């Protein structure tokens, strides 16, 4: 696996420098910043010998741009879900469990870390395949941003060492599948008030299932077949095929 | 086990605040500072909700005061040893291995973290029972001080959950044993130029052996017996007995 770290709207430039440093400490270099503050001397001073990672980072305006080409999008939160009936933060994985899930795969695993004060927004967590929560003390669960990055990258440090056996589907292919499923739910008249919740549940299930490109293609084929049988949907178009 | 974190001559007060925060994040509170700088607003701002850990920390002038009553003294370094013939940094353990070593024990495990620029001095590392090294990239192995603390406390986070079965000897008892062994080496005319190296090797061996108070007592008894046999040493005094 390749590992990409994304900081979503970080406020503090020292934290950005500290994240660059720990990214290099664990042998990584792929760093994205979504709408960061101005990165000046303070950030570079904290980054220390990781000035190359900091000056080489990619600055974008949206999460969509930052997660492009990912195989697995991981959201991090200090507030795990409590009820398994709420799919937004459930089920959640520890950094160690994340490592086990990704170590034999091939593709980009993208880690999203939220703002210092409010973390990731619910709509951003919904966008993720998996949710990871660092096992902290209930007495003070909220970690400093760069510490949280340090713990997750520490666990994933060897994930990139072997190139895994299973090439995973890219995000863009999975998104077409999710959109297709949503359209199908509309077509079959799925109960409106349940639709959002069920769509998120499917995203969580398929997120943890780590689909390959071929599996995504087959799933879309099933939905298309059902649509055709019901006289709905569109004919199979080349767009259905996954880019591998 | 109880876990005590000691920062040895930290220079940067933000790092001290960040260490206080992560100490609380992982459910610990025992923090010692050896000759720290002035701790002001910046440190408390970074400590955030861990102001209680920061304001409750113990400030001392020497490592000896900070490690008092410890069962295991652990030194941390970003430079592991290369040769097993050099005992100062060898063998070294990963934070995960440290966890396995201490989790079923009873006593205080004390973690020593050195200065931001030069780490722990050799004479300070010699004082330690074990040496721990975080597995970082050879490209940039030196971590930020508070990040290093974060990783080690993350691994030890559950070490205190169960109170272990084996009560370990306190540092003071082990030091009397080491002094006794040194005296014995003098008495038997051990080759002068090898003495330092052998003493350090014995410290490393007995450090990783995690001696109980009773074992320390028995070892001292053996040395005393040998001394008496050779017509050397002193008679057994109550001082030989370990405080449990």
């Amino acid at each position: 696996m390749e590992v990409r770290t994304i900081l979503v709207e970080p406020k503090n430039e020292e934290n950005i420098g500290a994240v660059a440093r720990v990214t290099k400490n664990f042998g990584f270099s792929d760093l994205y910043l979504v709408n960061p503050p101005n990165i000046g001397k303070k950030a570079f001073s904290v980054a220390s010998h990781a000035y190359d990672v900091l000056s080489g980072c990619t600055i974008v305006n949206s999460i969509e741009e930052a997660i492009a080409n990912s195989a697995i999008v991981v959201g991090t939160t200090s507030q795990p879900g409590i009820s398994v009936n709420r799919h937004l933060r459930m089920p959640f994985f520890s950094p160690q469990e994340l490592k086990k899930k990704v170590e034999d795969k091939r593709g980009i695993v993208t880690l999203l870390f939220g703002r210092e004060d409010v973390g990731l927004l619910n709509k951003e967590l919904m966008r993720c395949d998996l949710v990871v929560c660092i096992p902290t003390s209930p007495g003070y669960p909220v970690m400093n941003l760069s510490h949280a990055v340090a713990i997750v990258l520490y666990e994933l440090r060897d994930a990139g060492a072997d190139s895994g056996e299973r090439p995973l589907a890219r995000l863009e292919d999975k998104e077409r599948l999710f959109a297709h499923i949503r359209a199908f739910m509309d077509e079959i008249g799925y109960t409106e008030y349940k639709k959002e919740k069920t769509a998120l549940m499917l995203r969580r299930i398929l997120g943890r299932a780590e689909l390959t490109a071929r599996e995504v293609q087959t799933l879309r084929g099933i939905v298309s077949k059902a649509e055709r049988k019901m006289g709905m949907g569109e004919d199979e178009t080349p767009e259905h095929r996954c880019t591998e």
Side-chain angles (χ1 to χ4, degrees), chain A:
Chain A
M1 297 295 299
E2 295 165 62
V3 175
R4 179 185 299 170
T5 302
I6 301 177
L7 303 185
V8 180
E9 302 191 340
K11 289 181 170 51
N12 179 313
E13 67 166 310
E14 279 98 331
N15 278 341
I16 299 171
V19 166
R21 179 167 178 174
V22 78
T23 299
K24 189 164 178 175
N25 284 151
F26 289 121
F28 302 110
S29 59
D30 195 6
L31 179 61
Y32 277 65
L33 307 175
V34 180
N35 298 327
N38 189 41
I39 296 170
K41 274 186 192 166
K42 278 187 197 166
F44 276 93
S45 162
V46 176
S48 192
H49 292 280
Y51 53 84
D52 52 343
V53 173
L54 186 55
S55 57
C57 76
T58 308
I59 295 177
V60 293
N61 295 317
S62 70
I63 289 185
E64 290 309 313
E65 293 167 84
I67 63 179
N69 296 314
S70 302
I72 303 180
V73 180
V74 179
T76 55
T77 176
S78 59
Q79 301 171 296
I82 296 164
S83 161
V84 284
N85 290 323
R86 297 204 52 220
H87 304 293
L88 182 61
R89 293 162 197 270
M90 284 295 282
F92 62 92
F93 297 90
S94 72
Q96 225 171 350
E97 289 166 331
L98 175 66
K99 196 220 165 166
K100 281 178 197 149
K101 285 189 81 63
V102 304
E103 61 189 348
D104 57 342
K105 310 302 185 318
R106 190 138 45 92
I108 300 172
V109 54
T110 292
L111 308 168
L112 283 181
F113 293 89
R115 301 148 190 87
E116 285 93 339
D117 46 2
V118 295
L120 292 172
L121 309 178
N122 282 355
K123 66 174 184 181
E124 293 163 352
L125 275 174
M126 275 184 214
R127 201 60 202 72
C128 299
D129 295 311
L130 301 174
V131 176
V132 159
C133 185
I134 297 170
T136 45
S137 162
Y140 189 18
V142 184
M143 296 186 77
N144 164 277
L145 173 58
S146 74
H147 286 174
V149 175
I151 300 296
V152 180
L153 293 184
Y154 163 72
E155 285 288 1
L156 295 182
R157 66 195 180 276
D158 299 325
D162 301 308
S163 75
E165 293 294 304
R166 277 182 58 189
L168 298 185
R170 289 189 317 134
L171 170 107
E172 291 74 5
D173 299 324
K174 284 194 287 186
E175 285 309 318
R176 279 194 284 268
L177 169 64
F178 292 139
H180 199 162
I181 292 173
R182 283 292 290 267
F184 184 75
M185 287 164 79
D186 287 336
E187 287 158 6
I188 61 172
Y190 194 84
T191 318
E192 195 61 37
Y193 78 94
K194 284 186 181 171
K195 207 156 58 184
E196 283 302 321
K197 195 175 171 184
T198 306
L200 183 56
M201 186 201 72
L202 284 168
R203 189 182 272 278
R204 289 282 175 269
I205 292 173
L206 297 175
R208 11 183 239 280
E210 297 154 346
L211 302 174
T212 63
R214 178 160 293 277
E215 289 166 340
V216 169
Q217 198 177 355
T218 306
L219 288 171
R220 289 200 64 193
I222 295 169
V223 181
S224 296
K225 198 115 190 172
E227 285 175 333
R228 280 200 301 278
K229 184 73 182 175
M230 299 185 298
M232 296 172 204
E234 294 163 20
D235 289 335
E236 181 124 11
T237 64
E239 192 229 351
H240 276 212
R241 277 181 207 114
C242 289
T243 49
E244 267 187 89

